[in-house]
Amino acid sequence: MRARLALWASGLEFDQQEVDLKQKPPELWVLNPLGTVPVLLWSDQGVQKVIAQSLEIMLCALKANDPLSWLPSTQDGWDQALELIKGNDVAFKKHLDRYKYPNRHPETSASSEREQGALFLKHYEQVLEKQDFLSGDHFGLLDAALGPFVRQFAKTDLVWFNSQGWPKLINWLQAFESSEAFSFIMQKL
Ligand SMILES: N[C@@H](CCC(=O)N[C@@H](CS)C(=O)NCC(=O)O)C(=O)O
């Protein structure tokens, strides 16, 4: 989702192939021996490289072309964005998986994972009290990198999510879901 968001925002030309993760095609294994998605085959002036991490795909596409100014414009902006993305990728995603699929994680409880994930969301709410987007005054890299994960967390139990006293976060999520970028990534391929 976030790789597609950044590719869309870059305005670069690209092809997309949906992959059935229960029946991974040989082409996927050839490109990425880990067998994970997303994976991007990047071609630039006859030179090709494979990028198999969503964040790296985002950065590669946006560094090549960034017409919507999604990349941070200051060193502080970069530091804050990369720190929050790291927190999302290392810890929040783990809590999300355990909250969403409690049967796969009998060693923990969904409610405790939800509470730990909620600490991240509380922080995002505080950031959004000061500015319209996590990236600043417009939707950017940080919003795109975190948006799909926050959305999954919210959708796991919307009644709970909506009752937490996070009006800014709810508005932010609604803005993301009604954006052109979101419509693009939700298109059936
Ligand atoms: N660190 C990787 C994680 C990629 C990842 O875990 N992708 C999942 C789908 S979202 C996957 O391909 N899982 C392999 C599988 O289910 O077999 C990234 O962010 O690009």
Side-chain angles (χ1 to χ4, degrees):
M1 288 285 194
R2 70 189 193 179
R4 274 190 196 161
L5 284 169
L7 284 163
W8 172 85
S10 75
L12 297 172
E13 248 180 62
F14 61 101
D15 294 323
Q16 301 179 76
Q17 300 284 328
E18 196 88 55
V19 166
D20 180 353
L21 288 174
K22 294 194 184 76
Q23 254 183 308
K24 296 179 184 176
E27 293 91 330
L28 174 65
W29 292 108
V30 171
L31 273 186
N32 177 13
L34 296 174
T36 55
V37 293
V39 56
L40 177 72
L41 176 61
W42 175 263
S43 297
D44 189 16
Q45 298 177 357
V47 180
Q48 293 195 325
K49 65 177 173 179
V50 174
I51 311 176
Q53 292 296 336
S54 54
L55 179 59
E56 282 178 39
I57 293 173
M58 296 181 88
L59 294 176
C60 177
L62 293 169
K63 281 178 179 171
N65 208 34
D66 186 19
L68 303 177
S69 302
W70 274 26
L71 292 179
S73 54
T74 63
Q75 188 55 47
D76 264 6
W78 271 107
D79 293 346
Q80 282 161 19
L82 293 179
E83 197 185 321
L84 283 186
I85 293 172
K86 191 171 156 201
N88 175 82
D89 293 8
V90 174
F92 183 74
K93 186 177 179 303
K94 192 183 80 183
H95 299 310
L96 167 64
D97 288 342
R98 292 171 180 205
Y99 166 42
K100 199 172 161 187
Y101 304 111
N103 297 343
R104 295 184 197 163
H105 301 282
E107 75 283 7
T108 183
S109 77
S111 63
S112 125
E113 297 299 330
R114 183 169 74 181
E115 285 319 304
Q116 292 178 76
L119 296 176
F120 288 78
L121 302 180
K122 215 178 272 178
H123 178 61
Y124 303 158
E125 173 72 16
Q126 285 162 0
V127 174
L128 293 169
E129 278 165 5
K130 298 189 207 96
Q131 53 195 46
D132 286 347
F133 295 92
L134 296 174
S135 300
D137 60 5
H138 64 277
F139 191 96
L141 174 77
L142 184 55
D143 303 278
L146 269 45
F149 297 93
V150 174
R151 181 169 177 269
Q152 277 188 50
F153 204 97
K155 280 172 71 81
T156 303
D157 183 344
L158 259 185
V159 174
W160 173 86
F161 182 80
N162 287 333
S163 68
Q164 294 306 298
W166 295 329
K168 301 286 179 190
L169 192 62
I170 290 171
N171 280 347
W172 171 83
L173 192 55
Q174 276 167 358
F176 172 48
E177 288 178 331
S178 8
S179 68
E180 204 184 327
F182 185 77
S183 305
F184 173 80
I185 61 170
M186 293 309 279
Q187 274 170 19
K188 279 258 166 260
L189 298 179

